[in-house]
Amino acid sequence: MSERYRAGVVGDDITGCQDIGIFFTKQGLRSITASSPDEIFKHQADVLIIDTDSRFDHAKQAYDKAAKAVKALQQAGCTQYFKKTCSVFRGNIGAEFDAMLDTLNESLMIVIAAFPKNGRTTVDGRHYVYGCELAASQFRHDPMNPMTSSDLAAIIALQSKRPIHHLLLKTIRQGHHEVRRQIEEAQKVGGYLICDCETQQDLKILAAAIVNEKVIGGSSAIAEELAVYHKHQETVQSHAVLPDKERGILLAVGSINQQSKRQSAYALAHGVIHIPFDPLMLYDRQASEKMLEGCFQKALGHLLKGEHVLLQPDCENEKVTLMKTVGRTKGYDEKSVSKLVSTALAKLVLQLIQASNQHRICIAGGDTSARIIEMLNIHASELVDEIQTGICSSLSLGEPKLLMILKSGSFGNEQFLLDAIDYLKQY
């Protein structure tokens, strides 16, 4: 294993860790995600991915977590390193980029934030979501990380003092040899080289130019093209045989992203049982317990009858605003409000998994996915299949044995939840 290519990835949330890993899995490379640096030494894999769960941390804490993860990946013998970010650059970007370069004692990181297949593009150093500037997109109103700038360099510079360079689209389209020349110029100064990118062909050119670069940062999209250079012919994983196939599929949506709302509405219109709860009641312990117990009993009955269930807090805009307003009067900041809701949903999912002997789940929302994985005591999982672009299935390593689809709230087409059900029913 030590003579083979080995990629080391540091991600700041579980869904992001999975969406980069599946691109390697598709090329025959065994990819493992782990929740702690120590966990990776228990598994043999070509791609080792550590989730620091640091997107909402303070910059210093995020830096320290990322540095610890990089040290573990170094000890594991990784040959190429990725600092995986959100595809719209939410989180502690500059701090975690610095942590990787500092720990590796490297001078330059190639930064590619674009993910063309999911509508993320970069032109002249400015980032776009389906053609709309990031600062004018739905992410401007993100409850945890409102994105008020479209300038990727400015976002990095909030937490890093390293030099920042740009590789423009016109240069990239001159071919990978010219890209290499520009990289070599940037290496003389060091820092971060932000690459424009509009299409998958742009990614192919960039991949050809950076295949041997040691440090890369940004979204998962570049991994799809880089993995081709390290393709293995053998199959590296197989599905577990999961019991209780007659159970209904459990879906939980904690994301308040508009795409997740559309996906939920589509699923409900096609017969999935909807079990919502009022997040405002979570501020009252007695009322909360009674409400969640009612949701549990109702959901369990449907699951045991083989019916598919969607759990979801009421996330209409007015309710979200009211949650924040009431939360402030009770001493909750926005992070605490979000965690209150995701924790309640995660506890409900855990109860249902245990009571129904559920072995197949689909979770939408990074924070919700993280809380559920934490409560289930799942420390590592192996990536299995790509369901849609940037969304995959994974199999927990250890017990409980779960086939999981954990997705970012903004990824997937309108019918995604139905596709997830069809996929999970196969196993």
Side-chain angles (χ1 to χ4, degrees):
M1 183 68 73
S2 61
E3 296 178 1
R4 292 166 65 146
Y5 170 81
R6 175 170 278 189
V9 182
V10 179
D12 64 0
D13 84 331
I14 185 63
T15 56
C17 288
Q18 296 208 342
D19 76 52
I20 188 170
I22 196 60
F23 287 133
F24 291 101
T25 299
K26 286 168 62 179
Q27 299 300 333
L29 285 83
R30 186 169 191 246
S31 304
I32 299 293
T33 62
S35 59
S36 74
D38 294 336
E39 185 69 26
I40 64 168
F41 298 108
K42 301 176 184 178
H43 307 284
Q44 288 294 307
D46 303 294
V47 183
L48 301 171
I49 309 165
I50 299 173
D51 172 24
T52 56
D53 192 24
S54 55
R55 182 169 297 176
F56 306 132
D57 289 341
H58 294 298
K60 177 62 167 62
Q61 186 179 11
Y63 178 100
D64 291 343
K65 284 183 177 181
K68 183 177 180 181
V70 175
K71 287 175 185 175
L73 295 171
Q74 278 184 297
Q75 293 171 25
C78 291
T79 57
Q80 190 171 54
Y81 296 83
F82 293 81
K83 178 65 222 35
K84 168 67 176 66
T85 72
C86 166
S87 63
V88 293
F89 253 37
R90 291 173 295 181
N92 292 289
I93 305 300
E96 295 191 17
F97 278 5
D98 277 2
M100 181 165 276
L101 286 184
D102 290 346
T103 306
L104 292 172
N105 196 26
E106 292 288 328
S107 64
L108 183 71
M109 179 186 290
I110 310 299
V111 178
I112 305 168
F115 196 151
K117 288 184 178 180
N118 273 330
R120 279 70 164 151
T121 56
T122 307
V123 179
D124 295 331
R126 301 187 71 77
H127 208 49
Y128 295 81
V129 179
Y130 290 106
C132 177
E133 281 213 9
L134 175 58
S137 74
Q138 60 178 303
F139 295 100
R140 181 180 181 84
H141 305 291
D142 186 276
M144 298 297 293
N145 281 132
M147 302 306 296
T148 57
S149 174
S150 305
D151 186 335
L152 297 181
I155 295 170
I156 296 173
L158 290 172
Q159 296 179 331
S160 175
K161 296 187 183 303
R162 279 184 162 88
I164 300 174
H165 321 270
H166 290 99
L167 187 61
L168 299 176
L169 209 54
K170 64 180 182 181
T171 303
I172 293 166
R173 291 176 179 173
Q174 291 176 44
H176 71 273
H177 292 298
E178 180 59 23
V179 172
R180 276 298 326 155
R181 193 181 73 79
Q182 294 293 328
I183 289 172
E184 287 162 10
E185 286 299 311
Q187 283 171 337
K188 295 175 183 177
V189 180
Y192 301 108
L193 178 60
I194 295 173
C195 302
D196 280 0
C197 177
E198 229 179 10
T199 68
Q200 201 67 19
Q201 182 59 32
D202 296 333
L203 284 176
K204 291 180 188 293
I205 294 169
L206 287 167
I210 70 171
V211 64
N212 294 316
E213 284 295 313
K214 191 170 182 178
V215 191
I216 300 162
S219 81
S220 61
I222 188 61
E224 181 172 20
E225 300 301 337
L226 284 172
V228 174
Y229 291 91
H230 306 288
K231 182 175 182 176
H232 289 176
Q233 297 304 315
E234 67 270 26
T235 301
V236 297
Q237 85 284 318
S238 60
H239 294 292
V241 177
L242 300 173
D244 302 313
K245 195 171 182 178
E246 69 276 10
R247 300 284 190 264
I249 301 298
L250 177 59
L251 313 170
V253 176
S255 169
I256 62 173
N257 185 279
Q258 290 301 317
Q259 187 66 358
S260 285
K261 292 180 181 180
R262 284 189 284 269
Q263 290 163 350
S264 296
Y266 190 90
L268 302 184
H270 289 78
V272 174
I273 304 297
H274 191 212
I275 301 182
F277 64 87
D278 184 352
L280 276 171
M281 294 181 72
L282 298 176
Y283 290 124
D284 182 319
R285 183 174 176 181
Q286 265 192 324
S288 173
E289 289 177 354
K290 183 178 180 180
M291 174 185 67
L292 294 176
E293 176 62 20
C295 291
F296 166 74
Q297 293 296 343
K298 186 176 179 181
L300 181 61
H302 287 293
L303 290 170
L304 293 179
K305 288 191 292 185
E307 297 170 334
H308 311 309
V309 169
L310 170 59
L311 300 173
Q312 187 177 34
D314 180 354
C315 55
E316 291 306 314
N317 293 339
E318 297 80 5
K319 187 60 65 80
V320 172
T321 301
L322 193 54
M323 274 293 291
K324 295 178 186 176
T325 302
V326 174
R328 282 193 291 271
T329 69
K330 296 179 178 293
Y332 288 81
D333 59 17
E334 289 198 0
K335 180 178 178 180
S336 300
V337 170
S338 177
K339 189 169 184 179
L340 179 70
V341 179
S342 63
T343 299
L345 183 56
K347 286 180 178 178
L348 194 51
V349 169
L350 177 61
Q351 282 183 290
L352 287 166
I353 286 173
Q354 293 170 337
S356 67
N357 200 24
Q358 181 81 217
H359 292 271
R360 303 161 184 82
I361 58 172
C362 175
I363 313 297
D367 194 35
T368 304
S369 295
R371 299 292 78 75
I372 289 171
I373 292 299
E374 181 181 21
M375 287 187 184
L376 289 168
N377 208 27
I378 293 173
H379 300 294
S381 59
E382 180 171 0
L383 303 184
V384 180
D385 288 319
E386 184 177 44
I387 313 300
Q388 289 184 8
T389 300
I391 309 173
C392 67
S393 62
S394 60
L395 189 65
S396 60
L397 299 174
E399 297 297 331
K401 188 61 68 179
L402 281 173
L403 185 62
M404 306 173 289
I405 300 175
L406 311 176
K407 85 167 194 78
S408 167
S410 61
F411 281 10
N413 64 21
E414 188 178 51
Q415 67 181 48
F416 172 75
L417 293 175
L418 294 185
D419 289 348
I421 290 171
D422 289 341
Y423 173 84
L424 292 169
K425 282 168 59 180
Q426 297 176 63
Y427 301 104

